[in-house]
Every structure is written in C-alpha cells, then in structure tokens.
Amino acid sequence: QKTIQPLWMRAANGRKTRGQDMMLSIIIVIYCILNVAIATYDFSFFRIPNIFLLLLIGLYVFYAILYVQPDRIVTSLFAFALVLIVSFALFALKAIGGGDAKYLSVISLWVGMNDVLSFLIIVSLVGGGLALIYLLSRNYVGRISDWVWSQIQKGEAHYSFLRLVWFGSGLGPELGKRENINFRMVPYGVAIATGAIITMVNKMLLI
C-alpha cells in the first residue's frame, strides 16, 4: 500500500514536481500580496489589521505542512517566540507599535531562525530610510497617505465586505475620521513588509 509523502520529503528524495513548484509559487504570491496589503494599510491608516496577520499565520501552516521539515518548524517557532518577547518589550517601552510587534513576530515564523537576523537588518535599514523620508518630506508623504486612505474609504463605502478587514482590530481611523493620525509617526509596517518580501523571495531563490 502506497503512502502519501509530504512535498518536503519528496523534494528531499529528489522528486520535486512541476505541480510542487507551482503550488509553492502560488503560496509565495499570496504571501507577497498580504505583505503589500499590510504595508498599504499601515502607510495610510497607521494601523495593521489583525486579519492580515491571521491570514499569514494560516498560510504558514499550509506552507509548513507541504514544504517545511519538522525540525525547521521547531526552530521557526523558536524564532517567533524570541522575536515576540523582544518586540513586545519594545512595545512596552513605546519604541514600536503593537501592530509592528505582532507583525515582526509573524514574519519571523515565516523566515525561520536561519534568516531572522538578515530580515531584521533589512527592516532596520529600510525603516531608517523611511524615517529620513518622513523627516525631509513629511507634508508630501502625508498627502499621498491621505489620498490612499480616502481611496480605501471609498472602496469600503461601495463594497461593505471590505470593512471586514477591520474585524477584531478595534476602532480607529477606519471609521472615516483622520484626526487621530499623527504624521510625526513612521509606518514601520512598510519597512517590515519590505524586509518580509525580500527575505522570503531570496530564500525561495536559494531552494
């Protein structure tokens, strides 16, 4: 009687298939889309909807079952726990936002222990560049953020299901108000998304 092997085991045995490549590509495309969505919402709302983070975790479970060896899953969970502790300590010190802390932790699960340091370095570099841009061009960047925010608001007004994005994320600027947004803040979710995409795509290219 034949047994069905996980795709990671087939790849380890040298039996990587075209279908396997296609499924992995689809997963990575969805992963990138979710990260771009997070960057867009953080740039315009200065908030990261929890539903995107939950979708990333769910996608990782699917990805891990198909492609990740058990020992790598364990080390990825360790990376997740480690970054979660450190990032929430920074949140307690008001160095980063709560959404950023959760986002960093979720992406650490994806990139794993081997790549978490390079991921954090990329985030730091991009975040520094982003802070400089906001320092030099805050008004111009603010106008772009306002425009993106207004387009999302119009979309939510026409298609009510889009408001489900905010399910479980509490109340905030998604209610059509802009007063609580302070452009002295920097949307570090953009930097995290950039690091997440670069690190994961590079990781896939090395497979």
Side-chain angles (χ1 to χ4, degrees), residues 28 31-32 195-207:
I28 297 305
Y31 168 87
C32 290
I197 293 172
I198 291 174
T199 305
M200 201 64 193
V201 170
N202 182 64
K203 187 175 182 176
M204 292 302 103
L205 292 175
L206 294 177
I207 292 179

Side-chain angles (χ1 to χ4, degrees), residues 11 59 67 82 85 95 109-110 117-118 121 144 152 161 176 181 207:
L59 186 64
Y67 295 101
L82 182 62
I85 292 170
L109 179 67
W110 270 91
L117 182 59
S118 59
I121 289 173
I144 298 175
I152 294 176
F161 69 89
I181 291 181
I207 292 179

Side-chain angles (χ1 to χ4, degrees), residues 105-132:
S105 304
V106 171
I107 299 304
S108 296
L109 179 67
W110 270 91
V111 301
M113 185 58 71
N114 290 343
D115 295 299
V116 70
L117 182 59
S118 59
F119 160 64
L120 293 174
I121 289 173
I122 294 172
V123 171
S124 298
L125 293 174
V126 176
L130 199 61
L132 183 61

Side-chain angles (χ1 to χ4, degrees), residues 158-201:
H158 283 89
Y159 306 102
S160 58
F161 69 89
L162 293 176
R163 297 173 193 165
L164 293 174
V165 164
W166 299 108
F167 180 77
S169 296
L171 302 178
E174 69 277 8
L175 295 179
K177 298 180 180 179
R178 197 73 167 152
E179 292 83 358
N180 61 333
I181 291 181
N182 183 354
F183 286 112
R184 288 179 295 180
M185 300 186 296
V186 176
Y188 285 111
V190 176
I192 299 171
T194 303
I197 293 172
I198 291 174
T199 305
M200 201 64 193
V201 170

Side-chain angles (χ1 to χ4, degrees), residues 43-69:
F43 173 69
S44 54
F45 288 86
F46 287 81
R47 294 186 73 212
I48 298 175
N50 287 328
I51 194 167
F52 288 140
L53 301 179
L54 291 174
L55 287 172
L56 278 172
I57 292 174
L59 186 64
Y60 175 79
V61 171
F62 182 70
Y63 162 73
I65 290 172
L66 293 180
Y67 295 101
V68 185
Q69 298 181 27

Side-chain angles (χ1 to χ4, degrees), residues 4-18:
I4 300 175
Q5 291 181 316
L7 292 180
W8 64 263
M9 190 178 292
R10 297 183 204 176
N13 293 333
R15 290 189 288 166
K16 194 173 183 180
T17 65
R18 182 177 298 178

